[in-house]
């Protein structure tokens, strides 16, 4: 009975996973799957004694656990489905069926997370190849690029400011073929400029205004 019921419970859990699965960005989906994975693992830890018996395929308590009508008071509390038919239900049938379902769900969720990771690597690789093939070259100074990158990050104009500056710097460097840009060291140089820390940004503004007036 647990083997049959275990598969039924697995597909029931799977259906709920699909119904609640977010259709948004990859990060949200990954967070969702990890949260569900923790929940299924928590159930096995909570029932660790019975789960150890199940894992090692013990037989010492089989007569107590799996002979019909050997139901104890605590079984009704922990596994209410055991009360449906006392002539068919056993003490641990629903619990062991849940172990089977939870193990299958853990494997499924782990595989889904692996797929996400692999797809992310493939996408990253293809994006990197596109950036490396860029026909654009940065013709200003490196410190000018640093001004631009920090201005973009602090203004929150990309992902509402939720952006890793190292990743953004890497993207700009690949796109414009800039090598050996130390973003943090350059920031210190920017910070301690005596006259004007935003020379490049001011220049950009002046050039745009001039063009608009023309």
């Amino acid at each position: 009975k647990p083997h049959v019921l275990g598969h039924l419970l697995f597909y029931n859990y799977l259906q709920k996973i699909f119904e609640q699965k977010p259709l948004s960005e990859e990060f949200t989906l990954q967070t969702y799957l990890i949260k569900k994975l923790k929940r299924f693992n928590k159930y096995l830890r909570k029932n660790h004694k019975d789960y150890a018996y199940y894992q090692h395929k013990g037989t010492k308590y089989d007569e107590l656990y799996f002979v019909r009508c050997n139901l104890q008071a605590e079984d009704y509390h922990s596994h209410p489905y055991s009360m449906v038919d006392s002539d068919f239900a056993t003490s641990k049938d629903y619990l062991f069926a849940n172990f089977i379902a939870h193990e299958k769900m853990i494997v499924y969720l782990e595989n889904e997370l692996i797929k996400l990771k692999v797809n992310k690597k493939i996408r990253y690789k293809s994006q990197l190849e596109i950036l490396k093939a860029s026909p654009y070259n940065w013709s200003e100074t490196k410190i000018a690029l640093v001004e631009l990158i920090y201005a973009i990050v602090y203004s929150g104009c990309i992902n509402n400011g939720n952006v890793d500056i190292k990743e953004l710097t890497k993207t700009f460097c690949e796109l414009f073929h800039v090598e050996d840009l130390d973003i943090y060291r350059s920031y210190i140089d920017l910070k301690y400029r005596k006259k004007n820390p935003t020379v490049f940004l001011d220049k950009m503004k002046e050039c745009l205004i001039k063009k608009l007036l023309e």
Side-chain angles (χ1 to χ4, degrees), residues 29-195:
L29 178 57
Q30 183 178 334
T31 305
Y32 169 77
L33 293 175
I34 290 172
K35 184 179 178 181
K36 292 296 181 183
L37 184 61
K38 286 180 178 178
R39 198 190 96 186
F40 283 104
N41 275 307
K42 184 180 179 181
Y43 180 86
L44 297 181
R45 288 196 303 272
K46 182 182 175 183
N47 298 282
H48 62 94
K49 289 183 180 178
D50 288 317
Y51 184 59
Y53 184 83
Y54 160 82
Q55 276 188 308
H56 294 95
K57 304 186 188 303
T59 57
K60 186 178 179 181
Y61 300 109
D62 277 4
E63 186 176 345
L64 179 64
Y65 288 169
F66 299 111
V67 173
R68 295 172 192 172
C69 299
N70 273 339
L71 299 177
Q72 306 298 319
E74 61 269 18
D75 299 322
Y76 294 127
H77 175 72
S78 303
H79 312 293
Y81 289 102
S82 296
M83 297 174 65
V84 174
D85 186 353
S86 59
D87 291 330
F88 183 60
T90 66
S91 172
K92 301 293 182 183
D93 57 2
Y94 182 75
L95 179 64
F96 277 50
N98 241 326
F99 289 159
I100 293 169
H102 276 63
E103 282 186 341
K104 289 174 71 67
M105 279 306 306
I106 288 168
V107 171
Y108 168 79
L109 292 168
E110 285 177 342
N111 286 335
E112 287 298 299
L113 285 166
I114 290 169
K115 284 180 192 176
L116 273 179
K117 193 174 182 180
V118 169
N119 290 338
K120 186 177 180 181
K121 282 184 178 179
I122 292 170
R123 271 202 314 278
Y124 178 75
K125 189 177 179 182
S126 61
Q127 288 169 354
L128 201 59
E129 288 171 355
I130 292 169
L131 287 172
K132 285 181 177 179
S134 164
Y136 306 109
N137 293 286
W138 186 257
S139 52
E140 259 286 357
T141 62
K142 288 182 181 179
I143 196 72
L145 182 58
V146 172
E147 275 187 53
L148 180 62
I149 292 170
Y150 273 102
I152 288 171
V153 171
Y154 290 148
S155 65
C157 57
I158 294 180
N159 294 346
N160 296 315
N162 185 25
V163 58
D164 187 315
I165 196 161
K166 284 182 71 176
E167 289 297 320
L168 187 63
T169 302
K170 193 173 181 179
T171 302
F172 269 96
C173 288
E174 293 290 349
L175 178 63
F176 297 126
H177 308 293
V178 177
E179 296 180 357
D180 304 322
L181 178 60
D182 189 337
I183 189 73
Y184 297 118
R185 178 65 182 271
S186 300
Y187 177 78
I188 295 171
D189 294 339
L190 258 183
K191 191 174 180 180
Y192 289 103
R193 273 182 180 173
K194 290 183 179 179
K195 293 182 179 179

